[in-house]
């Protein structure tokens, strides 16, 4: 069953293409847009195009940044420890770490992980750009690479690949700890996480 | 904590204004837009503006329709029973009935219900337009008004108001049945619905 308006149908179709948005939600969003002043629709429309037009990847860390702020604010930030680079899969991961306000080093965003099944090889993600940052002529400042990829098969594979690539350069390669999340009860933790937690135990 | 891009922040803010979309979902949607080709963003952007520019209310039933299809497809539809008008709150309700492919009459969309607490009186919703359709000089074709407003306090109030307004015109006023949804188990039905179901019992 279709609406009595082709324009509404087109809007529902466009909304439904967004991740996690089904037909029902798309319909609700479309009706909301119809009820709002035109200014609100304009704001979303121009934000969409601006995001495509103004956002580039930082020439150093490959994180997303504005066209007029390259290198990005983190790469050029005062008080950032230039000797540590945390390697992540995507820009949202950078945000997650920044929210902790705990980590003060730099980042490198791979924009993906090695996934042979999806046809994604080492050359398809930003590994080359990472290696360039580690060249001695760059000042040789980097002492440590922290691998913080997601604990999926692809993430682990990529971590292994990177560690083998970087270790010979004489740079320390670490990975973030896997274990019990803060506040979680042991009873409800899956076996894989529990095993990792036991494996990674530290002295008290 | 903010992203390293003002354009992304603006997009997240715009998405987060949509109903049911929180900051986290908005962030996910924004990242999705960044990863998609520009064409997809353009499609959503222009669909948004088209919906505001091309969609009008049908001059007869007040349902949403395209500017170039007024009166709407239902009002002008062949095989529609012109003697019955189903009164609903919003365009989504029309869609819900149309999906049943069972009802063949016309609709009238109030675009709201009477709600004194929100400052919405009878003149703020499309009641006047409904009464105009019932004027004898319009052919006097309408024999029945089916009230299908949501079973909220405001919906019930509006139904009562409409029935008192329309009954004197010699037109039958009915309301859709409240009762046990098809497929539901009695055990899990709330008391109000059960009472209504008992009240509205019919002969077998």
């Amino acid at each position: 069953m279709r609406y009595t308006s082709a324009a509404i149908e087109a809007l529902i179709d466009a909304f439904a293409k967004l991740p996690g948005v089904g037909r029902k939600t798309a319909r609700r969003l479309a009706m909301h847009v119809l009820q709002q002043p035109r200014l609100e629709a304009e704001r979303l429309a121009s934000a969409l195009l601006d995001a495509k037009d103004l956002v580039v990847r930082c020439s150093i860390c490959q994180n997303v940044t504005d066209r007029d702020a390259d290198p990005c604010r983190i790469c050029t930030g005062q008080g950032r420890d230039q000797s540590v680079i945390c390697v992540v899969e995507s820009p949202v991961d950078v945000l997650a770490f920044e929210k902790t306000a705990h980590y003060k080093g730099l980042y490198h965003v791979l924009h993906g992980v090695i996934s042979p099944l999806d046809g994604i090889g080492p050359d398809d993600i930003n590994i080359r750009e990472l290696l360039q940052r580690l060249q001695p002529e760059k000042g040789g400042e980097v002492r440590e690479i922290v691998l913080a990829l997601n604990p999926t098969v692809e993430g682990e594979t990529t971590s292994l690949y990177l560690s083998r690539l970087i270790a010979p350069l004489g740079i320390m390669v670490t990975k973030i700890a896997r274990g019990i999340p803060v506040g979680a009860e042991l009873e409800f933790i899956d076996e894989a996480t529990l095993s990792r937690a036991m494996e990674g135990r530290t002295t008290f």
Side-chain angles (χ1 to χ4, degrees), chain A:
Chain A
M1 180 51 215
R2 296 179 70 76
Y3 256 95
T4 46
S5 158
I8 297 180
E9 279 298 325
L11 182 56
I12 294 174
D13 288 344
F15 271 131
K17 286 221 175 112
L18 296 173
V21 177
R23 296 290 304 175
K24 269 206 174 167
T25 309
R27 206 177 292 149
R28 196 157 46 87
L29 294 178
M31 294 318 295
H32 171 82
V33 168
L34 283 179
Q35 278 155 13
Q36 291 294 106
R38 190 176 193 281
L39 189 72
E40 289 297 311
E42 279 168 20
R43 192 169 293 161
L44 179 51
S46 64
L48 280 161
L49 299 180
D50 281 357
K52 296 306 288 185
D53 295 338
L54 303 180
V55 175
V56 296
R57 289 187 182 178
C58 170
S59 54
I60 298 176
C61 71
Q62 307 297 322
N63 191 10
V64 286
T65 184
D66 285 335
R67 190 177 293 278
D68 56 4
D70 179 24
C72 75
R73 290 194 300 214
I74 294 177
C75 287
T76 59
Q78 295 294 319
R80 284 282 175 173
D81 183 353
Q82 303 276 334
S83 69
V84 189
I85 296 178
C86 174
V87 179
V88 295
E89 211 171 305
S90 85
V92 282
D93 303 328
V94 172
L95 194 69
F97 277 110
E98 286 297 289
K99 270 160 88 176
T100 67
H102 187 77
Y103 176 73
K104 287 295 176 201
L106 304 177
Y107 295 94
H108 190 83
V109 182
L110 294 180
H111 286 281
V113 280
I114 298 171
S115 174
L117 281 180
D118 302 313
I120 302 173
D123 295 336
D124 300 316
I125 58 178
N126 295 322
I127 290 179
R128 197 157 33 92
E129 290 81 354
L130 174 61
L131 294 179
Q132 275 164 5
R133 295 175 72 180
L134 307 180
Q135 296 304 313
E137 63 264 28
K138 292 276 171 186
E141 264 189 288
V142 180
R143 287 184 301 100
E144 181 179 354
I145 295 288
V146 184
L147 299 175
L149 304 179
N150 287 316
T152 56
V153 174
E154 293 79 13
E156 302 282 355
T157 308
T158 310
S159 290
L160 193 65
Y161 181 88
L162 286 175
S163 68
R164 292 200 177 158
L165 216 58
I166 296 167
L169 304 176
I171 294 168
M172 182 163 66
V173 181
T174 57
K175 58 177 183 172
I176 56 169
R178 309 284 178 209
I180 318 295
V182 175
E185 290 186 54
L186 288 188
E187 184 180 355
F188 303 115
I189 300 290
D190 62 291
E191 293 82 358
T193 305
L194 262 187
S195 310
R196 292 292 201 94
M198 183 57 81
E199 239 175 67
R201 64 190 184 276
T202 55
T203 52
F204 196 67

